[in-house]
Amino acid sequence: MSKKKRKAKKNKKWLDKELIYFFGKMLKYINIKKLNFYCKIGFDNPAILAEIVGVLWGVLFFIYSFLDNYLCINKKNSKVYIEPDFLKNQTEVIFESIISVKVGNIIIAAVYYFLSNTFGKRREAKNYGRSSY
Protein backbone atom coordinates (compact mmCIF):
# COMPACT_ATOMS: atom_id res chain seq x y z
CA MET A 1 0.00 0.00 0.00
CA SER A 2 1.42 3.35 -0.97
CA LYS A 3 2.09 6.14 1.49
CA LYS A 4 -0.71 8.32 0.06
CA LYS A 5 -3.28 5.53 0.44
CA ARG A 6 -2.23 4.88 4.05
CA LYS A 7 -2.47 8.58 4.86
CA ALA A 8 -5.90 8.84 3.19
CA LYS A 9 -7.11 5.79 5.12
CA LYS A 10 -5.83 7.28 8.40
CA ASN A 11 -7.54 10.60 7.65
CA LYS A 12 -10.79 8.79 6.87
CA LYS A 13 -10.66 6.93 10.20
CA TRP A 14 -9.99 10.22 12.00
CA LEU A 15 -12.92 11.85 10.20
CA ASP A 16 -15.21 8.95 11.09
CA LYS A 17 -14.23 9.23 14.78
CA GLU A 18 -14.80 12.98 14.77
CA LEU A 19 -18.21 12.67 13.12
CA ILE A 20 -19.30 9.99 15.58
CA TYR A 21 -18.15 12.20 18.45
CA PHE A 22 -20.02 15.21 17.04
CA PHE A 23 -23.28 13.33 16.42
CA GLY A 24 -22.99 11.72 19.84
CA LYS A 25 -22.95 15.21 21.35
CA MET A 26 -25.89 16.23 19.15
CA LEU A 27 -28.13 13.39 20.34
CA LYS A 28 -28.88 15.10 23.66
CA TYR A 29 -30.59 17.96 21.81
CA ILE A 30 -33.10 15.73 19.98
CA ASN A 31 -36.54 15.40 21.60
CA ILE A 32 -39.10 12.82 20.50
CA LYS A 33 -42.48 14.21 21.54
CA LYS A 34 -44.63 11.47 20.03
CA LEU A 35 -43.75 7.95 18.92
CA ASN A 36 -46.56 5.65 17.79
CA PHE A 37 -46.00 2.26 16.19
CA TYR A 38 -48.85 -0.03 15.18
CA CYS A 39 -48.24 -3.30 13.38
CA LYS A 40 -50.83 -5.89 12.39
CA ILE A 41 -49.34 -9.13 11.10
CA GLY A 42 -51.26 -12.03 9.67
CA PHE A 43 -50.07 -15.49 8.70
CA ASP A 44 -51.75 -18.81 7.96
CA ASN A 45 -49.76 -20.90 10.43
CA PRO A 46 -50.33 -19.75 14.05
CA ALA A 47 -47.10 -21.32 15.34
CA ILE A 48 -44.93 -19.43 12.87
CA LEU A 49 -46.95 -16.25 13.49
CA ALA A 50 -46.26 -16.52 17.24
CA GLU A 51 -42.52 -16.79 16.58
CA ILE A 52 -42.60 -13.82 14.19
CA VAL A 53 -44.50 -11.66 16.70
CA GLY A 54 -42.09 -12.64 19.50
CA VAL A 55 -39.03 -11.75 17.43
CA LEU A 56 -40.66 -8.50 16.34
CA TRP A 57 -41.39 -7.53 19.97
CA GLY A 58 -37.77 -8.25 20.89
CA VAL A 59 -36.33 -6.22 18.02
CA LEU A 60 -38.78 -3.38 18.53
CA PHE A 61 -38.06 -2.94 22.21
CA PHE A 62 -34.32 -3.26 21.65
CA ILE A 63 -34.58 -0.27 19.28
CA TYR A 64 -36.92 1.55 21.69
CA SER A 65 -34.55 1.09 24.64
CA PHE A 66 -31.62 2.27 22.50
CA LEU A 67 -33.56 5.42 21.54
CA ASP A 68 -34.62 5.92 25.16
CA ASN A 69 -31.00 5.77 26.37
CA TYR A 70 -29.64 8.29 23.87
CA LEU A 71 -32.60 10.56 23.08
CA CYS A 72 -35.30 12.32 25.10
CA ILE A 73 -38.57 10.40 24.59
CA ASN A 74 -41.90 11.52 26.03
CA LYS A 75 -43.23 8.19 27.28
CA LYS A 76 -46.76 9.49 27.94
CA ASN A 77 -47.36 10.07 24.22
CA SER A 78 -45.57 6.94 23.01
CA LYS A 79 -47.53 3.82 22.14
CA VAL A 80 -46.37 0.54 20.65
CA TYR A 81 -48.79 -2.14 19.44
CA ILE A 82 -48.15 -5.40 17.64
CA GLU A 83 -51.29 -7.32 16.86
CA PRO A 84 -51.31 -10.83 15.40
CA ASP A 85 -54.07 -11.66 12.91
CA PHE A 86 -54.71 -15.39 12.66
CA LEU A 87 -57.41 -15.15 9.99
CA LYS A 88 -55.87 -13.06 7.18
CA ASN A 89 -52.49 -13.24 5.49
CA GLN A 90 -51.70 -9.51 5.60
CA THR A 91 -49.29 -6.99 7.06
CA GLU A 92 -50.13 -3.44 8.07
CA VAL A 93 -47.63 -1.02 9.64
CA ILE A 94 -48.36 2.52 10.83
CA PHE A 95 -45.55 4.66 12.24
CA GLU A 96 -46.08 8.21 13.52
CA SER A 97 -43.57 10.44 15.24
CA ILE A 98 -42.94 14.05 16.14
CA ILE A 99 -39.26 14.88 16.52
CA SER A 100 -38.08 18.33 17.56
CA VAL A 101 -34.61 19.83 17.43
CA LYS A 102 -33.86 23.42 18.31
CA VAL A 103 -31.80 25.11 15.60
CA GLY A 104 -29.94 27.22 18.17
CA ASN A 105 -28.61 24.09 19.86
CA ILE A 106 -27.35 22.76 16.53
CA ILE A 107 -25.56 26.04 15.79
CA ILE A 108 -23.98 26.17 19.26
CA ALA A 109 -22.83 22.55 19.01
CA ALA A 110 -21.38 23.12 15.52
CA VAL A 111 -19.49 26.26 16.66
CA TYR A 112 -18.18 24.41 19.72
CA TYR A 113 -17.11 21.49 17.52
CA PHE A 114 -15.35 23.83 15.07
CA LEU A 115 -13.56 25.79 17.81
CA SER A 116 -12.48 22.68 19.69
CA ASN A 117 -11.05 21.17 16.50
CA THR A 118 -9.14 24.27 15.44
CA PHE A 119 -7.77 25.45 18.79
CA GLY A 120 -7.86 22.57 21.22
CA LYS A 121 -7.42 19.12 19.80
CA ARG A 122 -8.37 16.19 21.99
CA ARG A 123 -5.33 14.30 23.11
CA GLU A 124 -4.95 10.66 22.28
CA ALA A 125 -2.42 8.14 23.46
CA LYS A 126 0.56 7.70 21.16
CA ASN A 127 2.42 4.49 20.59
CA TYR A 128 6.12 5.03 21.24
CA GLY A 129 7.10 1.38 21.49
CA ARG A 130 8.05 -0.63 24.53
CA SER A 131 8.19 1.13 27.85
CA SER A 132 10.60 -1.31 29.48
CA TYR A 133 13.14 -3.90 28.38
Side-chain angles (χ1 to χ4, degrees):
M1 187 181 290
S2 71
K3 196 172 189 179
K4 284 184 182 180
K5 286 184 181 179
R6 273 188 266 144
K7 190 172 183 179
K9 192 173 185 179
K10 185 177 178 182
N11 286 341
K12 185 180 182 306
K13 285 182 182 180
W14 176 81
L15 183 64
D16 290 344
K17 285 181 186 179
E18 290 296 319
L19 286 176
I20 289 171
Y21 177 76
F22 175 70
F23 284 115
K25 292 288 185 183
M26 285 298 301
L27 287 178
K28 66 181 177 181
Y29 298 122
I30 298 173
N31 294 323
I32 298 178
K33 293 182 177 180
K34 179 181 177 183
L35 182 70
N36 291 340
F37 182 81
Y38 173 77
C39 182
K40 187 174 184 180
I41 298 176
F43 200 72
D44 294 336
N45 190 346
I48 295 175
L49 180 61
E51 291 177 3
I52 292 171
V53 170
V55 168
L56 191 60
W57 272 109
V59 168
L60 185 66
F61 275 99
F62 174 76
I63 294 170
Y64 188 80
S65 66
F66 177 78
L67 291 175
D68 190 33
N69 284 336
Y70 292 104
L71 304 174
C72 237
I73 297 178
N74 187 352
K75 293 180 184 75
K76 291 180 183 177
N77 294 333
S78 299
K79 296 175 185 157
V80 177
Y81 295 113
I82 297 176
E83 182 180 329
D85 187 6
F86 297 103
L87 301 175
K88 297 178 185 174
N89 198 5
Q90 68 176 5
T91 302
E92 179 183 350
V93 177
I94 299 172
F95 180 76
E96 299 173 340
S97 66
I98 297 175
I99 300 171
S100 68
V101 179
K102 293 182 181 176
V103 178
N105 290 339
I106 294 173
I107 293 170
I108 291 170
V111 168
Y112 174 76
Y113 173 75
F114 175 73
L115 291 176
S116 67
N117 274 347
T118 55
F119 297 115
K121 297 245 182 204
R122 291 183 300 158
R123 295 183 182 188
E124 296 181 5
K126 294 182 180 178
N127 187 5
Y128 290 113
R130 291 181 58 151
S131 60
S132 62
Y133 290 96

